[in-house]
Amino acid sequence: MDIKLINRENSPKPRRSVLSVPGHIEKMHLKASKSNADVIMLDLEDSVPVESKEEARKRVITSLKEIDWENKTLSVRINGTDTPFAYNDVIEITEEAGSMIDSIVIPKVNDAKDSHFVSLLLDGIEMNKGLKNKIGIELSIETAPGMEKVSEIAHSSARAVSLVFGIADYSASIGARLKSISGHGEKEEEIYPGHRWHYALSRLVMAGKASGLAVIDAPYGNFSDPEGLMKSAGLSAALGCDGKWAIHPSQIDTINEVFSPSEEDVERARKIVEAHAEAQENGLGAVSLEGRMVDRATIRMAEDLLFKAKYLKLI
Ligand code: COA
Ligand code: MG
């Protein structure tokens, strides 16, 4: 039976795992290029000390040009637009290596102005350099003002490809308790009997999906706790996130696994699609499958899952 998939032609490429790599550390660039991450994000912001900002920019440009990235999706996180570094980050990186990158990640987006600033610079640089690729922007929401304006931000630019949750800076911005060393999502249940980031993530997912963007969860800070990572990634996948940042290569396989449809998921989705087709032939809207109701809403989820599985070449 032919499976008719819903239209997700504008859907961005897989961003299940996004490995953050400090811009000034060359050996990590090499290691990242050999990893299984869907996206490598070379960082100029918070993993780079202030005295190494210029050096990191140069190092990132060299790595973008010289390393064999094996068809990985590449992005660069610039410094915040309220720093003295951001404008040069955009200009130097994209003038020198714009053809290599898929997107620029803007941290601590407070307002649509942040994305307009980068977007307009990119318009000029792409024209000047005759770049064939259109560079995307990824909008990192990690402050209370940014979260408050997330819908406006999500709609702010045709270049937008994703919204990203910045958990540690967001916690600082709202004055939430610091419970772990990294502040990246550990030991949450000790201080809140539920999912402490449920509202923030759901808000992001709603705004992102309404604008056709991918939504990426923050990294999990304790990189020696694979079970905690699995749980954290599972919760964000359940809420509709498409992927999660990683700060250490050991986190990538777990994240890819959680954000990929499993064989069991695919099998279930196929059964749902078949049951629905049969229902239609018999003039029915809802039917039962293994004691559960299947209707139009179920089929949309199943079709979406099969699309993802096909896109990832899992079927
Ligand atoms: N990207 C690429 N390679 C990485 C890496 C990363 N993010 N993190 C660690 N590695 C490499 C190390 O260089 C080391 O390589 P080697 O075996 O060739 O020497 C290997 O993976 C194992 O690393 P390990 O010794 O376990 O960790 P570490 O003590 O060197 O580094 C951190 C730990 C947290 C400092 C490091 O993982 C890191 O800098 N992560 C990124 C931080 C970041 O980007 N923050 C901003 C986003 S929130
Ligand atoms: Mg941050």
Side-chain angles (χ1 to χ4, degrees), residues 45-46 77 107-108 140 142 166-170 184 245:
E45 203 220 11
D46 279 355
R77 180 167 71 169
K108 302 182 181 70
S140 184
E142 39 190 332
I167 188 173
D169 277 300
Y170 185 68
H184 283 78
W245 276 13

Side-chain angles (χ1 to χ4, degrees), residues 106-111 138-151 153-154 162-167 169-170 200 204:
I106 314 176
K108 302 182 181 70
V109 176
N110 286 325
D111 201 283
E138 305 197 50
L139 301 150
S140 184
I141 306 297
E142 39 190 332
T143 62
M147 190 62 82
E148 199 179 24
K149 293 190 193 146
V150 64
S151 296
I153 291 168
S162 84
L163 293 180
V164 178
F165 183 44
I167 188 173
D169 277 300
Y170 185 68
L204 233 60

Side-chain angles (χ1 to χ4, degrees), residues 165 195 201-202 205 209 215-218 229-245 255 258-259:
F165 183 44
H195 184 201
L201 273 177
S202 290
V205 167
K209 300 301 163 94
V215 179
I216 315 295
D217 188 20
L229 171 66
M230 176 81 85
K231 188 171 170 202
S232 166
L235 288 171
S236 50
L239 290 175
C241 291
D242 300 279
K244 188 168 176 68
W245 276 13
I255 296 177
V258 172
F259 286 96

